[in-house]
Amino acid sequence: MSEQRFSNVYQPKEWETQLYNEWEHGGDFSPVGTGPSFSMVIPPPNVTGELHMGHALNVTIQDIMARFKRLNGFRVLWVPGTDHAGIATQNVVDKALQARGTSASEIGRDAFLDNVWEWKHTYGNRITKQIRRLGASVDWHYERFTMDDGCKQAVTNHFIALYKKGLIYQGEYIVNWCPKNKTALSDIEVEYKEFKGHLWHMKYPLTSDKNQFICVATTRPETMFGDTGVAVHPDDDRYRDLIGQTVRVPYTERDIPIVADRHVDQTFGSGAVKVTPAHDPNDFDIGNRHNLARILVMDESAIMNQNAPKQYQGLDRYQCRKQLIKDLQADGFLVKTEDHVHNVGTNTRSGEVIEPYLSKQWFIDMKKLTQPAIDAVKSKSITFVPERWEKLYFEWMENIRDWCISRQIWWGHQIPVWYKKDNPDEYIVAECSPGDDYVQDPDVLDTWFSSALWPFSTLGWPNKTDLLANYYPTALLVTGYDILTFWVSRMITMGLFNMDNIPFNHVYIHGLVRDIHGKKMSKSVGNVINPLDIIDEHGADALRFGLAALCTKGGQDIKLSMEKIQASRNFTNKIWNFSRFADMCLNDGTNPIDPMTRPTPVTEIDGWILDRLNQTIETVTHHLNDYNFAAAADELWEFTWNQCCDWYVEGIKQHKAESLPVLVFVCFQTLILLHPFMPFVTEAIWKNLSKHPNISEDHLMDTIQHAQWPVAVAIENNQRIKDFETTFNLIREIRHLIKTANVSTKNELTLTLSHPDSTTQTLLLNMTPLIQKLTKVTYCNVQSHAPEVDVPHTQSVASTIEIQLILPNVDVASEKNRLEKQLSQLQQQHHNLNKKLTNEQFIQKAPPAVVEKVKKEADNITSEIHSIETQIAKFA
RNA sequence: GGGCGAUUAGCUCAGUUGGGAGAGCACAUCCCUUACAAGGAUGGGGUCGCAAGUUCGAGCCUUGCAUCGCCCACCA
């Protein structure tokens, strides 16, 4: 009984976990065979993270490609792993400690690191379990972590190699300092946000004459204690005479020079700018040009330090600003206050306002590294999909800045630099400590430093492994455009540096998942759709298909809605029931059917569906090779639902036995085509159907994953495809007439179809049973010309075939009205076509095929107009 | 300031050698027909952002404009 194998609704929960376990423990995700290799590395999610829609999209796309390639006989290796995510993880663990009444700083570095490792062991597999729920066919045997021993070795090797080539240096520069995390950040970890602030104009008195002033404008008055100059434009007539003189910084005993510098914009503010080289990157440059001193006035938490006047020491930067404004006003230094909107850098992670801060950090000299990486993309050794992202890549790489790689946190790869205890200026770069008289640099490396090595560190580098030999370069990298600069560009750069070869051939860059209004999903807004909730409720396949169907060629951001997911859920159920129908038909079968062998069609509609299947195989294969997931998904939807279910299944119900082999074959082929998108439901059906006693398992794999991707053969009969299109048009029109006449098909209806052409008559005669079945008309006659009918009837024309449907009664007025409306539509179409055909230029210049097509259309419409006119005339 | 992308049905979006304006959802009407009501059938709905140009012909190519979104730069 079919009920034993198929419930009437697909229940994902009954299948997904069990199937995934079978797959994983059955070794189904391991590379096998002798086919060409296809490898990917997963963009490692944060080890403490939780699965969000971005992961779901990213993993879905990769899994579609992995399964597609596996079905095509490739040796697929997809390497999973997680990222240690320095600052993010450190924050999470520190927060947890604080909730327990202690903190990282209280317990100290070693104890803190023990805590993070413990945390990693407790929660590190949460995200990997969640990835499993998506159905990801990653090979867990090769799972990696960016701080495991292999990655550690890779990082150290890489650092030393760069250092030896003089590409890593230590320097004192203005960096982006986060006072909350007390660490430097790289430029791309800073997000600029618009803030409503003020522009304060204040007077600095001349040393030579306290009654004269120069007025400077600033948004950050608290940095004035670090001022070591005032800059004006050399051509500015207002200040020309003051250049070279000195002014006294209020509340200090320091006199600072007025210098001329072309960087100054005469039209902004007062045209004179205070120069604070230790707290502003531009001022740092100006200071260098004019040999100005650098004075830090804050500590690492942005608290005013001993270089500020006593009364401000110990205040944080904002308290200080507030007090200082009061004081400046009281003491007559404040000239005016303007409202000023400006962009302020913030920490991408914590949101804290960045303090430009002078400090000693490690940098990579990127300019010397990028050229091969630029060339690799220019020469198309690496291709970006969509191609337009190359522009952003070149823009970034051609204006590359040095990469600040040191971070003043504890969780991460500690920098392999050892300072002599009694002389910190003396240091050695090495994997291990040179001796007890050395101490290691306390800083760790930027998380992206290890991520940059991911495509080869996961395959064993720096050791020469078989994995590397077999799977590097990887075939494809799938990622979002938001980390193109953070990650993709650096993998290419470092891949070429270490491996002398690109890390991947193709980069597929997808959009970001947003809510239906295009807004970023965020917990505070409350518009988050949690992928795990979706999987619980509707199954992983519904989520996957929904996401893939939105993943269009242009790589636009994806606006996700519950409605879209529900539609996909309905589709999974449709596939389930299509198969359930096949299963039911098998019950009546007499001989075992081999579902993998292409059967010879017995009936016309069987031949038709096989041809349509071929078209679908070809289109879907093309779209997947083209990374056009939405188009592939659309095609599969159209074929499965509209062609197979709506037309084919309904069409064979009158000859199920004859069509059974084709039905079964088409069903299995369709399952394979759908499998990359919907691994669970297709496997569930596969296993169910395989168990049917009338299925021969001789050529059947025990899992759909090991099946062979369908191969398209030549279309057998193009005319037949057209004939069925004509028939379906006709059926639609007849149904429309029945519906419009508001007549029940429980009555015995009589239909006459007329066409002068004998081939068409033959077609109609052949299709009569189908037409009767699908329109529920009892009698159907085929004629060369529409007969005179003197009983109530309704009439129309479709694909130039005249339709007459006898009715119990008819409303002549509305019937006439309907025909006239149809006539006017046809006349409009005819008019448009005729306009073209009477245009000499069109006839001369348009391709003959186009002209021919238009002529034929016009002829058809003329014929239809004639039919309708005749029909209307009968009412006269 | 520079760059990229978007603008097509009520909503979300497809639409490449330029030649028929389409899908899903939503909506309306009818139908529990033995695969599926998470379903079936039928239907309504669009001057393809605006303007000009190229062309026999433009949703598609060129130019300009408008609106929205994102990225980079950061005038203190």
Side-chain angles (χ1 to χ4, degrees):
Chain A
M1 289 296 288
S2 69
E3 280 67 27
Q4 289 173 339
R5 281 181 295 276
F6 287 90
S7 53
N8 67 337
V9 170
Y10 171 59
Q11 302 286 4
K13 275 193 179 165
E14 291 174 9
W15 292 93
E16 293 189 349
T17 309
Q18 182 200 332
L19 284 178
Y20 195 89
N21 280 335
E22 279 177 31
W23 294 338
E24 181 181 350
H25 299 115
D28 290 328
F29 306 149
S30 297
V32 286
T34 53
S37 78
F38 180 88
S39 55
M40 295 185 289
V41 290
I42 205 168
N46 291 358
V47 69
T48 59
E50 280 204 74
L51 194 79
H52 57 63
M53 272 303 168
H55 297 124
L57 171 68
N58 179 261
V59 168
T60 296
I61 292 169
Q62 287 172 84
D63 197 46
I64 289 171
M65 290 311 290
R67 290 179 184 274
F68 172 58
K69 292 291 178 180
R70 212 173 276 127
L71 291 168
N72 274 281
F74 283 76
R75 237 176 336 116
V76 174
L77 175 64
W78 183 16
V79 179
T82 49
D83 193 291
H84 69 278
I87 295 175
T89 305
Q90 172 144 346
N91 281 344
V92 168
V93 177
D94 193 18
K95 222 173 168 180
L97 286 173
Q98 283 168 26
R100 300 207 306 255
T102 178
S103 72
S105 51
E106 199 176 310
I107 63 174
R109 182 166 193 147
D110 288 344
F112 177 74
L113 288 179
D114 288 345
N115 264 277
V116 185
W117 277 110
E118 201 181 302
W119 185 279
K120 189 255 171 193
H121 289 127
T122 310
Y123 295 108
N125 60 357
R126 183 172 57 181
I127 187 81
T128 53
K129 277 185 182 157
Q130 292 171 339
I131 286 172
R132 282 173 168 89
R133 296 213 53 199
L134 287 165
S137 60
V138 293
D139 192 340
W140 293 105
H141 299 111
Y142 296 102
E143 183 181 352
R144 297 296 299 272
F145 175 53
T146 53
M147 266 176 65
D148 63 25
D149 290 343
C151 286
K152 194 177 174 197
Q153 198 193 352
V155 162
T156 311
N157 261 54
H158 182 47
F159 188 97
I160 293 170
L162 285 169
Y163 182 78
K164 278 189 179 157
K165 292 213 167 164
L167 297 166
I168 282 189
Y169 65 93
Q170 194 178 32
E172 196 169 62
Y173 289 97
I174 293 277
V175 295
N176 308 294
W177 187 266
C178 175
K180 190 176 173 189
N181 291 117
K182 294 176 200 162
T183 180
L185 301 172
S186 72
D187 291 334
I188 38 180
E189 287 168 292
V190 177
E191 187 183 350
Y192 285 87
K193 287 184 188 161
E194 210 167 71
F195 278 69
K196 281 179 191 163
H198 300 282
L199 191 60
W200 286 282
H201 293 247
M202 43 198 205
K203 294 195 261 190
Y204 283 13
L206 292 189
T207 314
S208 56
D209 178 356
K210 285 196 175 96
N211 294 318
Q212 285 194 59
F213 305 92
I214 189 162
C215 182
V216 297
T218 183
T219 55
R220 310 187 54 220
E222 68 278 9
T223 62
M224 68 187 287
F225 309 121
D227 288 358
T228 53
V230 169
V232 298
H233 196 276
D235 302 334
D236 194 331
D237 291 336
R238 291 173 294 180
Y239 304 120
R240 190 166 287 164
D241 295 342
L242 296 176
I243 296 166
Q245 297 206 44
T246 59
V247 291
R248 169 67 54 98
V249 179
Y251 310 123
T252 73
E253 303 298 312
R254 287 188 298 108
D255 293 317
I256 59 174
I258 297 172
V259 299
D261 196 288
R262 297 196 170 274
H263 167 77
V264 179
D265 179 355
Q266 297 181 53
T267 62
F268 186 85
S270 62
V273 55
K274 61 195 265 314
V275 182
T276 323
H279 285 280
D280 184 283
N282 288 313
D283 292 5
F284 181 82
D285 291 339
I286 296 175
N288 282 350
R289 287 197 285 272
H290 302 280
N291 257 325
L292 302 178
R294 303 162 184 165
I295 303 174
L296 269 177
V297 296
M298 298 173 200
D299 69 10
E300 56 190 23
S301 303
I303 306 286
M304 304 308 291
N305 68 10
Q306 72 285 352
N307 290 327
K310 277 235 155 48
Q311 65 269 35
Y312 302 110
Q313 289 177 18
L315 298 178
D316 89 5
R317 48 187 171 168
Y318 299 117
Q319 291 171 333
C320 175
R321 180 184 297 176
K322 209 171 165 186
Q323 185 59 45
L324 184 57
I325 294 298
K326 262 188 207 162
D327 296 345
L328 287 167
Q329 183 149 32
D331 298 328
F333 289 111
L334 190 66
V335 179
K336 63 173 171 177
T337 306
E338 292 175 324
D339 286 338
H340 183 61
V341 176
H342 60 144
N343 289 328
V344 178
T346 61
N347 182 341
T348 315
R349 292 202 178 280
S350 66
E352 183 75 6
V353 171
I354 293 301
E355 184 63 38
Y357 196 75
L358 187 71
S359 66
K360 206 175 195 184
Q361 304 287 344
W362 289 95
F363 294 87
I364 300 181
D365 181 354
M366 292 299 288
K367 280 193 181 63
K368 295 202 178 99
L369 282 162
T370 49
Q371 197 54 49
I374 292 170
D375 294 343
V377 176
K378 282 231 159 100
S379 68
K380 302 279 177 194
S381 300
I382 299 174
T383 52
F384 286 11
V385 183
E387 207 174 29
R388 68 187 152 92
W389 291 111
E390 288 179 1
K391 274 197 178 176
L392 175 64
Y393 175 78
F394 291 135
E395 170 74 20
W396 167 257
M397 294 295 268
E398 280 161 7
N399 300 294
I400 196 81
R401 300 179 177 199
D402 286 359
W403 175 11
C404 173
I405 49 170
S406 40
R407 296 289 182 276
Q408 288 66 48
I409 56 173
W410 290 341
W411 176 240
H413 290 281
Q414 199 168 345
I415 293 178
V417 172
W418 309 82
Y419 301 96
K420 191 124 200 239
K421 278 178 181 165
D422 52 11
N423 178 17
D425 289 338
E426 194 182 310
Y427 63 81
I428 290 171
V429 175
E431 189 172 350
C432 304
S433 173
D436 289 345
D437 48 341
Y438 285 86
V439 61
Q440 188 170 9
D441 192 315
D443 291 353
V444 301
L445 291 162
D446 181 4
T447 303
W448 297 102
F449 188 93
S450 51
S451 311
L453 314 178
W454 192 242
F456 41 98
S457 64
T458 51
L459 299 177
W461 188 86
N463 301 311
K464 285 189 173 157
T465 60
D466 288 345
L467 266 189
L468 269 179
N470 278 314
Y471 297 104
Y472 191 93
T474 63
L476 172 66
L477 180 85
V478 177
T479 187
Y481 61 78
D482 53 330
I483 51 174
L484 191 64
T485 50
F486 280 100
W487 194 41
V488 178
S489 70
R490 287 163 177 171
M491 280 190 287
I492 298 174
T493 307
M494 300 315 175
L496 285 159
F497 176 78
N498 287 309
M499 301 293 298
D500 200 25
N501 198 352
I502 53 173
F504 28 72
N505 292 299
H506 298 266
V507 185
Y508 179 80
I509 300 157
H510 55 72
L512 308 182
V513 183
R514 299 174 175 279
D515 77 0
I516 194 64
H517 306 294
K519 294 233 167 67
K520 206 170 173 178
M521 289 187 184
S522 82
K523 279 183 187 162
S524 56
V525 180
N527 59 349
V528 175
I529 303 180
N530 182 337
L532 297 163
D533 294 345
I534 300 296
I535 294 171
D536 283 338
E537 200 179 343
H538 300 301
D541 293 323
L543 174 63
R544 292 168 57 114
F545 194 86
L547 287 169
L550 290 166
C551 218
T552 57
K553 194 75 201 299
Q556 302 303 324
D557 282 351
I558 286 171
K559 292 176 193 164
L560 189 67
S561 63
M562 284 308 297
E563 286 76 13
K564 190 78 192 176
I565 291 165
Q566 270 158 10
S568 302
R569 186 272 315 262
N570 293 352
F571 183 50
T572 59
N573 196 45
K574 192 72 182 176
I575 299 159
W576 178 262
N577 274 292
F578 173 43
S579 310
R580 187 169 166 228
F581 176 76
D583 186 82
M584 189 194 80
C585 294
L586 276 164
N587 291 340
D588 301 329
T590 44
N591 300 315
I593 288 172
D594 172 6
M596 300 314 285
T597 303
R598 190 185 169 81
T600 308
V602 178
T603 70
E604 285 297 290
I605 200 167
D606 289 328
W608 169 78
I609 196 70
L610 286 173
D611 277 341
R612 288 292 291 112
L613 172 67
N614 272 322
Q615 290 178 329
T616 304
I617 293 167
E618 210 160 309
T619 315
V620 169
T621 307
H622 170 259
H623 286 319
L624 282 179
N625 279 320
D626 200 31
Y627 303 111
N628 196 344
F629 302 99
D634 270 0
E635 185 71 17
L636 285 166
W637 179 298
E638 159 73 17
F639 179 71
T640 312
W641 200 315
N642 302 111
Q643 309 302 325
C644 288
C645 294
D646 291 347
W647 290 113
Y648 180 68
V649 166
E650 295 307 321
I652 63 167
K653 280 184 177 172
Q654 52 197 337
H655 47 72
K656 285 188 274 202
E658 291 95 317
S659 295
L660 187 58
V662 172
L663 170 67
V664 170
F665 178 74
V666 170
C667 183
F668 274 79
Q669 293 279 288
T670 307
L671 289 174
I672 300 170
L673 291 173
L674 285 162
H675 176 73
F677 292 84
M678 311 179 122
F680 292 112
V681 69
T682 50
E683 175 81 325
I685 295 168
W686 185 276
K687 288 191 183 291
N688 269 359
L689 280 179
S690 301
K691 278 187 228 142
H692 198 289
N694 285 336
I695 285 288
S696 150
E697 295 187 63
D698 294 351
H699 302 105
L700 207 54
M701 294 294 181
D702 59 347
T703 165
I704 190 172
Q705 301 173 106
H706 296 164
Q708 201 200 347
W709 187 253
V711 179
V713 299
I715 297 296
E716 199 174 90
N717 189 338
N718 272 308
Q719 183 56 44
R720 185 167 55 201
I721 293 175
K722 286 179 193 160
D723 288 346
F724 271 94
E725 234 2 273
T726 301
T727 309
F728 295 156
N729 266 338
L730 195 58
I731 290 169
R732 269 188 287 260
E733 186 63 21
I734 296 163
R735 283 166 170 172
H736 177 48
L737 288 178
I738 293 169
K739 167 94 180 168
T740 310
N742 200 19
V743 60
S744 169
T745 48
K746 283 171 183 156
N747 297 320
E748 293 198 340
L749 296 176
T750 301
L751 176 72
T752 305
L753 304 173
S754 314
H755 198 278
D757 183 19
S758 64
T759 359
T760 307
Q761 288 164 34
T762 311
L763 171 68
L764 291 174
L765 283 169
N766 289 337
M767 293 294 185
T768 296
L770 184 66
I771 293 167
Q772 283 173 313
K773 175 82 186 170
L774 296 188
T775 60
K776 292 173 187 159
V777 164
T778 313
Y779 307 105
C780 179
N781 310 306
V782 175
Q783 305 282 338
S784 60
H785 291 90
E788 292 294 332
V789 184
D790 46 13
V791 293
H793 66 284
T794 180
Q795 46 201 344
S796 184
V797 61
S799 298
T800 73
I801 297 157
E802 292 187 51
I803 307 165
Q804 291 163 305
L805 182 69
I806 311 297
L807 294 173
N809 53 65
V810 70
D811 178 349
V812 175
S814 70
E815 177 70 4
K816 197 175 168 191
N817 192 278
R818 187 181 57 77
L819 285 170
E820 274 167 354
K821 203 171 153 195
Q822 196 176 351
L823 179 66
S824 96
Q825 279 169 2
L826 287 169
Q827 282 169 335
Q828 184 60 48
Q829 285 175 40
H830 188 262
H831 175 75
N832 292 341
L833 291 171
N834 219 33
K835 221 160 65 180
K836 283 189 178 180
L837 291 171
T838 51
N839 182 344
E840 286 284 325
Q841 300 276 19
F842 174 73
I843 302 293
Q844 280 172 21
K845 295 189 179 171
V850 173
V851 177
E852 201 47 46
K853 201 175 150 192
V854 172
K855 270 186 185 162
K856 199 172 171 192
E857 272 174 55
D859 286 350
N860 285 345
I861 287 177
T862 305
S863 141
E864 293 187 1
I865 284 172
H866 182 72
S867 301
I868 299 285
E869 279 173 346
T870 314
Q871 289 170 356
I872 290 174
K874 286 176 188 160
F875 289 113

